[in-house]
Amino acid sequence: GENVEQHPSTLSVQEGDSAVIKCTYSDSASNYFPWYKQELGKRPQLIIDIRSNVGEKKDQRIAVTLNKTAKHFSLHITETQPEDSAVYFCAATTTNFGNEKLTFGTGTRLTIIP
Amino acid sequence: NAGVTQTPKFQVLKTGQSMTLQCAQDMNHEYMSWYRQDPGMGLRLIHYSVGAGITDQGEVPNGYNVSRSTTEDFPLRLLSAAPSQTSVYFCASSRINYGYTFGSGTRLTVV
């Protein structure tokens, strides 16, 4: 089955600096890669996603890149703000004949230092 | 449009008791799933369903049952609760190969 590794497990950055979280996956059939943000005590929420036919996607201060050959994808947050502090999860989805399996990474706790 | 509704929000069970966690969505999503979240373990898939009448096991299915009689509902049953099942449980739904919408979670403690 799919295995998703996520690094680092914790990350602290100064407010205004950039943060990068990296994930690798094992199943070359994975074709959809969402990122979720989970604030303390709340549910995970989708913040950005990328499909396997796209190399990069951007939404305001966040961007995701995908390297299918190397099987890794990354989340980039620029001009970080205190409200970016949360746990971030990457995930990889494999879809076969309408059957879908999504595997999460173990999460990165991002702390923005004011 | 309520999204994904999960009940209860909190539950305390005694070892050996059974219970059902309810999950309902009103977005006509084909895909529904249950995850448990433990500190340092991320989100682990318990069971999932790609449509009414179809369910399959995830990574950690032991001790749990599911059924999907309608598109909207996907209850999770704990057969005989054990302390190892103390966790936060999330239900999620989506269209196939799209991002998930999560419920608000159930914090379960088994004593």
Side-chain angles (χ1 to χ4, degrees):
Chain A
E2 175 66 281
N3 182 46
V4 177
E5 294 189 358
Q6 184 172 347
H7 301 281
S9 56
T10 60
L11 179 62
S12 296
V13 300
Q14 290 290 139
E15 182 178 353
D17 287 352
S18 296
V20 180
I21 301 169
K22 298 182 179 181
C23 290
T24 60
Y25 62 99
S26 60
D27 190 344
S28 57
S30 289
N31 55 9
Y32 174 64
F33 305 90
W35 286 86
Y36 293 85
K37 175 184 180 182
Q38 187 177 28
E39 297 175 350
L40 190 62
K42 297 193 175 180
R43 74 191 80 185
Q45 292 198 300
L46 179 71
I47 55 171
I48 196 168
D49 55 14
I50 191 167
R51 299 189 183 276
S52 57
N53 59 347
V54 175
E56 184 173 359
K57 184 176 179 181
K58 192 173 181 181
D59 183 3
Q60 299 183 346
R61 296 187 297 107
I62 60 173
V64 58
T65 58
L66 172 65
N67 183 326
K68 283 182 59 180
T69 304
K71 293 186 199 162
H72 66 70
F73 56 114
S74 301
L75 178 72
H76 305 253
I77 306 174
T78 59
E79 301 172 12
T80 53
Q81 301 169 3
E83 53 264 37
D84 294 329
S85 292
V87 178
Y88 291 80
F89 292 97
C90 64
T93 307
T94 307
T95 305
N96 290 312
F97 303 102
N99 201 13
E100 173 178 299
K101 265 258 183 91
L102 186 144
T103 304
F104 284 89
T106 51
T108 297
R109 183 174 300 278
L110 175 64
T111 302
I112 307 302
I113 305 165
Chain B
N1 211 353
V4 179
T5 303
Q6 210 179 313
T7 57
K9 291 192 186 301
F10 301 94
Q11 183 71 49
V12 178
L13 288 179
K14 293 182 178 178
T15 298
Q17 286 184 319
S18 62
M19 77 160 295
T20 300
L21 278 63
Q22 301 292 344
C23 177
Q25 52 94 6
D26 60 359
M27 298 172 283
N28 203 31
H29 285 167
E30 310 97 327
Y31 187 86
M32 296 186 76
S33 56
W34 278 100
Y35 286 85
R36 61 178 287 174
Q37 186 173 35
D38 303 294
M41 300 289 287
L43 290 149
R44 292 186 292 168
L45 180 64
I46 304 171
H47 286 284
Y48 66 100
S49 168
V50 297
I54 306 167
T55 63
D56 206 348
Q57 295 181 354
E59 181 185 356
V60 288
N62 292 339
Y64 308 95
N65 272 355
V66 292
S67 60
R68 183 101 179 265
S69 55
T70 66
T71 300
E72 295 78 20
D73 299 298
F74 191 46
L76 177 73
R77 298 182 187 85
L78 279 69
L79 309 173
S80 177
S84 61
Q85 294 179 304
T86 293
S87 188
V88 179
Y89 291 84
F90 287 101
C91 177
S93 77
S94 73
R95 291 168 54 196
I96 295 290
N97 219 24
Y98 279 80
Y100 284 9
T101 299
F102 282 88
S104 56
T106 296
R107 187 173 295 275
L108 175 68
T109 302
V110 182
V111 298

